[in-house]
Amino acid sequence: MPAPLPWPLLLSALLSSPGMETPPAPAAPWPAVNAPLTVASVTFPKGFGRKRIYLDAGHGAPGNEGNSSVTCEAEEAHTLRVAQALARRLEATGHFQVKLSRGPGERPPYADRLQEAERWRAALFVSLHSDARGQGVNWEAAPGQWCARNDLAPGYSVLYADDAAAPLVARRMRAARALARRMGEAGFPPYGGEDYVGLYAPDAGQAGAFVSRHAPGRRIFVLRKPSIPSVIIETHHAWDFEEAARWSEARTLEAFAAAVTQGLVDALGGP
């Protein structure tokens, strides 16, 4: 009788036997190159109608370009590109009427944007941004082009403020939670908030949603000032190389638009 195989050789023989397949390695989480995103099929409740959404391409105000990404792209350029793509997809559903805060070459002040949204009687003011988190280090993104980089804090966040009358706060919170939930379901990772301490507190009911805790006098204008519900979506960490690269892909914009669309339906479609 032959001697039994040592355990490592026996395991190898079993796994290579006919009918025995090695289980696939789990997919790396987004924003890894091969990480999947889900483009949701959006459903609208009966009687949803057509809602007005004021879509703010964050920054792009006089003297306010926003952050500079890992490839030295200005935040105002990123937010305009994402806002234009999102607006097209929202309008295409037939259930949303969208007004963009600015177009190419336009630099309206934030106060003008807010007045326009309120005069238009928007159901929701959604401001798009990207984060620059932690401590960036200089790296050469292209020959002679030095940008900041920090690959340690990827993820989205949805921000709102609770310093208003209870009915308005409830609508802000409902929108922030719905948008954060749907982005998570699409495969975008929620940011944990490690660099938000003292500025935003994690929402008690939804990962990726945060409530403003800025000191009085330093609170974010588009969160505290509007008389209509308002939220900020921080799409990603602009200094993270992989994440910034994924946000240049059409698939990312498509998945984001589907998630935001369903989040808006959740926020605006009920009692």
Side-chain angles (χ1 to χ4, degrees):
M1 180 177 180
L5 289 172
W7 172 245
L9 293 179
L10 177 59
L11 179 60
S12 177
L14 288 171
L15 291 176
S16 61
S17 299
M20 298 288 291
E21 296 182 0
T22 304
W30 204 86
V33 173
N34 296 321
L37 288 172
T38 299
V39 179
S41 296
V42 181
T43 59
F44 293 87
K46 185 177 180 180
F48 182 81
R50 195 162 184 239
K51 311 296 187 186
R52 292 183 176 185
I53 303 298
Y54 192 87
L55 191 54
D56 175 38
H59 300 283
N64 187 349
E65 295 183 354
N67 65 51
S68 183
S69 80
V70 66
T71 57
C72 292
E73 180 186 36
E75 185 177 359
E76 66 179 10
H78 163 76
T79 61
L80 180 58
R81 182 176 64 254
V82 175
Q84 289 173 322
L86 177 57
R88 288 193 298 270
R89 288 172 168 86
L90 287 172
E91 290 270 10
T93 67
H95 286 284
F96 293 102
Q97 184 178 0
V98 180
K99 187 180 287 292
L100 284 171
S101 65
R102 60 185 178 93
E106 298 174 347
R107 308 190 68 79
Y110 274 113
D112 291 357
R113 304 180 198 196
L114 176 55
Q115 291 173 9
E116 182 179 52
E118 292 180 334
R119 284 197 305 266
W120 190 53
R121 292 180 295 176
L124 187 64
F125 185 109
V126 179
S127 189
L128 301 180
H129 292 257
S130 67
D131 258 344
R133 300 167 183 151
Q135 185 65 44
V137 297
N138 285 333
W139 83 297
E140 196 171 14
Q145 185 181 46
W146 292 87
C147 313
R149 181 169 179 171
N150 176 357
D151 298 328
L152 299 179
Y156 69 88
S157 60
V158 185
L159 315 176
Y160 69 98
D162 62 357
D163 52 350
L168 179 56
V169 171
R171 294 168 69 194
R172 291 173 178 174
M173 182 174 65
R174 179 174 177 172
R177 287 180 172 181
L179 291 164
R181 181 175 66 255
R182 294 301 185 176
M183 286 189 69
E185 290 174 355
F188 296 100
Y191 175 52
E194 293 79 4
D195 294 298
Y196 282 176
V197 176
L199 301 176
Y200 299 98
D203 179 83
Q206 178 59 54
F210 295 84
V211 59
S212 174
R213 288 295 176 260
H214 288 80
R218 301 186 64 183
R219 293 175 180 169
I220 305 300
F221 181 80
V222 300
L223 293 184
R224 65 175 174 80
K225 190 67 175 176
S227 60
I228 59 177
S230 61
V231 297
I232 287 175
I233 301 177
E234 302 280 1
T235 58
H236 70 295
H237 177 30
W239 289 349
D240 184 294
F241 182 79
E242 280 192 323
E243 194 166 32
R246 294 298 304 271
W247 272 94
S248 68
E249 299 174 2
R251 178 72 174 183
T252 300
L253 296 178
E254 188 178 5
F256 174 68
V260 169
T261 304
Q262 189 64 70
L264 294 176
V265 173
D266 297 342
L268 303 174

